[in-house]
Amino acid sequence: MTEITEDILKKVIEKRASDSYKGKYGRVLLIGGSENYGGAIIMSTEGAVNAGAGLVATATHPLNMSALHARLPEAMFIDWHDSKLADLIKKVDVVVCGPGLGMSDLARQILVILRRCTSENQTVILDASALDLIGKDKTLLPANAGHLILTPHQMEWQRLSKIRIPFQTDSANINALNQLIPDSNAMLVLKSNHTHVYDGTDQFFVNPIGNPGMATGGMGDTLAGIIAGFVAQFGPSVDTVLAAVYIHSLAGDLINKDNYVVRPTKISKVLPKLMKKYSELD
């Protein structure tokens, strides 16, 4: 076990060059947000935008378009019924699928399209409903992606791995991840009060920070977006994912100093300032 420390932020977050342009910092597509869960994909999108992804698009139910544009004019929108979704998936660097996706036939079909369209040059982050759907049908797993990052909370991991929460030991989690995705192109970010990150080998990492104020709906959706923004900019390495996990909790701890409840949207709000700080440290 290795404990994640503040040093990971200094290692991963780079100062931007003066000749920067948006295409240099990655293209992210987020898919989710059914009629009743539009907030989930909007919070995830906000995490990706505020974490610095160069171009961000959101495929969601059309009912969410006005709210998405009102809150995040920086993000592009596509109706997830649109036949152009498959082409868009092929053009991005990182796909997040699952926040607010739901368990409908359409949600399942979106996973079929994702599996068909992703390639070895892309990273796919699977969260929430996407993991529950895959738990019911393992053939939906987009295993042809170059990198897979699973971000379940413990109950979602139970449904996917069939390991009950009391028995989710590190060795059991490593074995389950390797059985599910044997090619070692996967990472597991198992969310809890002290999130564990497994890298597809025998290594695993523990996040020592975070606080009870973060026990709020949308916290995991926001983390998935932050991971996407970091991977788009800094590459799909273990260090990148560890940095995203750590800064998410660090922001939460800063907010918790003066607030009993930590809202996920507030975490996204402080990310640019935190990233600026660590980009300038040696």
Side-chain angles (χ1 to χ4, degrees):
M1 179 195 74
T2 303
E3 199 169 83
I4 312 170
T5 69
E6 182 184 35
D7 289 340
I8 197 68
L9 301 182
K10 304 173 192 176
K11 182 178 180 181
V12 170
I13 300 172
E14 302 170 350
K15 188 174 183 177
R16 291 191 168 186
S18 62
D19 60 347
S20 292
Y21 56 95
K22 59 190 176 185
K24 189 175 182 179
Y25 299 109
R27 294 169 170 81
V28 175
L29 170 64
L30 303 102
I31 307 173
S34 61
E35 296 96 321
N36 297 323
Y37 298 103
I41 199 63
I42 292 172
M43 284 186 282
S44 193
T45 302
E46 190 165 7
V49 169
N50 283 30
L55 288 163
V56 177
T58 302
T60 186
H61 193 285
L63 284 174
N64 300 320
M65 180 182 69
S66 295
L68 176 69
H69 281 169
R71 184 160 187 96
L72 287 168
E74 299 89 349
M76 294 171 283
F77 164 83
I78 181 172
D79 183 339
W80 65 3
H81 302 94
D82 197 319
S83 60
K84 295 177 183 177
L85 177 60
D87 291 333
L88 182 56
I89 289 172
K90 296 174 184 178
K91 294 176 181 177
V92 300
D93 304 301
V94 182
V95 180
V96 177
C97 185
L101 183 69
M103 302 292 287
S104 67
D105 290 342
L106 174 62
R108 187 184 188 283
Q109 184 58 34
I110 285 172
L111 280 175
V112 171
I113 295 168
L114 181 63
R115 181 190 62 193
R116 186 179 75 237
C117 294
T118 49
S119 72
E120 62 184 12
N121 298 318
Q122 295 172 299
T123 297
V124 175
I125 300 166
L126 297 168
D127 188 49
S129 308
L131 296 170
D132 287 340
L133 286 164
I134 292 167
K136 292 177 177 292
D137 182 359
K138 299 294 195 300
T139 67
L140 295 173
L141 188 73
N144 52 331
H147 299 274
L148 282 171
I149 303 171
L150 314 183
T151 60
H153 56 59
Q154 288 180 290
M155 183 54 72
E156 289 165 343
W157 181 235
Q158 176 176 301
R159 291 192 285 263
L160 181 59
S161 68
K162 311 308 178 188
I163 304 171
R164 290 169 53 206
I165 292 174
F167 303 101
Q168 290 177 5
T169 63
D170 294 313
S171 60
N173 293 334
I174 290 169
N175 289 335
L177 179 62
N178 290 337
Q179 287 178 16
L180 181 66
I181 308 166
D183 294 332
S184 296
N185 67 331
M187 281 181 268
L188 169 64
V189 178
L190 184 55
K191 297 175 292 194
S192 66
N193 62 322
H194 291 301
T195 293
H196 283 48
V197 179
Y198 304 88
D199 70 350
T201 68
D202 289 336
Q203 287 192 94
F204 65 95
F205 306 83
V206 178
N207 179 26
I209 62 174
N211 61 82
M214 296 173 69
T216 306
M219 196 61 67
D221 304 313
T222 298
L223 176 60
I226 294 170
I227 294 172
F230 269 51
V231 170
Q233 292 170 91
F234 308 124
S237 70
V238 175
D239 282 348
T240 299
V241 175
L242 296 179
V245 168
Y246 191 87
I247 202 169
H248 173 261
S249 291
L250 178 61
D253 283 353
L254 291 173
I255 295 165
N256 187 235
K257 288 180 179 179
D258 300 308
N259 295 270
Y260 183 75
V261 174
V262 178
R263 291 174 56 192
T265 51
K266 298 298 184 183
I267 285 180
S268 293
K269 185 176 181 180
V270 303
L271 285 177
K273 187 173 183 178
L274 273 177
M275 292 179 72
K276 178 68 171 176
K277 172 186 173 181
Y278 285 98
S279 72
E280 295 178 342
L281 295 177
D282 295 327

